[in-house]
Amino acid sequence: MTDQKPTVVLVHGAFADSSSWNGVVEKLQSHDYPVIAASNPLRRLTSDADYVRQVVAGIDGPVVLAGHSYGGSVISNAARGLDNVKALVFVAAFLPDEGESAIDLSGKFPGSTLGAALRPAPVTLPDGSQVADLYIDKEKFHDQFAADVPEATTSVMAATQRPVTDAALGEGAAAPAWKEIPSWVLVATQDQNIPPQTQRFMAQRANATQVEVDASHAVSVSQPGEVARLINAAATAVA
């Protein structure tokens, strides 16, 4: 046992930014956790994971690494081989096995309505490759992403959403860290992006500790206390 609380690193997913963790950050800080909400580039899975890996590698002491949505794919790749990562927490998130993409998993079971809500925009990456930035249509954002969040809030979230490239969602994952690091999963039972059945499947496959919350995909916004509670449980278990 140690008195040192781990640093909690929070990684947002697609169509969000670090502010989507604000309520969770407040809860964790009130219990004296050091917290970093990393800015996920949302360009390609490999490069996104490399960025988060560098963030985590620069932290002294133990780390609990949490990811929402596509951020789950990122943390699973980023944490592999990092000795200071003691627990992984997946919040309405992907837990891909090697070679699986977010697109593969989102279609594994029925229930996702995300595809029909997306609006693509062509973009050129720094390496010259042509991809599409994907946004959720602003008129569909509330019902698709955050149906249990007040519309006054989701209108701002829709305006400030960060796009993800189709290349990032389609890239196969590397060997996953959840095979080596204890993992916790929050299943959002009203999720319209990642079907709850898919979330349960991934949690069971990873032999993760699982909780279910009656919430939309944006559970970190609508129920930050539940998310912080699970992160605290993970941190306490590996202390």
Side-chain angles (χ1 to χ4, degrees):
M1 297 289 290
T2 177
D3 292 333
Q4 180 186 14
K5 287 200 171 183
T7 298
V8 178
V9 178
L10 305 169
V11 180
H12 67 82
F15 322 116
D17 61 18
S18 294
S19 68
S20 62
W21 293 110
N22 282 358
V24 179
V25 171
E26 291 173 1
K27 300 288 187 184
L28 292 171
Q29 288 181 336
S30 72
H31 289 87
D32 298 322
Y33 282 99
V35 186
I36 296 172
S39 183
N40 188 356
L42 306 177
R43 301 294 81 189
R44 291 189 186 277
L45 179 55
T46 299
S47 58
D48 295 345
D50 285 346
Y51 171 76
V52 170
R53 181 182 179 85
Q54 292 177 62
V55 171
V56 175
I59 296 171
D60 292 330
V63 169
V64 172
L65 186 54
H68 173 246
S69 190
Y70 164 76
S73 298
V74 173
I75 70 169
S76 187
N77 278 17
R80 188 169 175 85
L82 286 179
D83 293 338
N84 63 332
V85 178
K86 304 305 180 184
L88 299 172
V89 181
F90 296 88
V91 179
F94 292 110
L95 289 76
D97 205 344
E98 187 169 6
E100 289 180 335
S101 70
I103 291 175
D104 293 335
L105 287 167
S106 64
K108 188 173 184 65
F109 297 99
S112 176
T113 56
L114 177 61
L118 292 177
R119 180 174 62 80
V123 65
T124 303
L125 296 182
D127 64 4
S129 58
Q130 302 289 318
V131 298
D133 260 346
L134 302 176
Y135 297 83
I136 295 178
D137 187 288
K138 290 180 181 179
E139 298 301 318
K140 298 178 179 179
F141 190 94
H142 174 265
D143 290 348
Q144 178 62 45
F145 195 81
D148 55 352
V149 176
E151 291 193 27
T153 300
T154 60
S155 66
V156 175
M157 292 170 63
T160 60
Q161 66 178 294
R162 292 270 310 283
V164 65
T165 68
D166 55 355
L169 296 183
E171 183 177 344
W178 49 256
K179 290 188 176 180
E180 301 176 342
I181 301 172
S183 298
W184 281 255
V185 170
L186 185 150
V187 175
T189 62
Q190 301 303 315
D191 199 325
Q192 300 296 312
N193 280 23
I194 308 174
Q197 189 177 359
T198 302
Q199 296 179 43
R200 295 184 188 107
F201 161 78
M202 293 184 291
Q204 292 164 6
R205 180 175 65 176
N207 195 29
T209 300
Q210 179 181 334
V211 301
E212 298 203 359
V213 176
D214 185 19
S216 72
H217 189 63
V219 60
S220 64
V221 178
S222 65
Q223 298 199 43
E226 294 293 337
V227 176
R229 188 173 294 112
L230 184 61
I231 292 171
N232 178 67
T236 301
V238 299

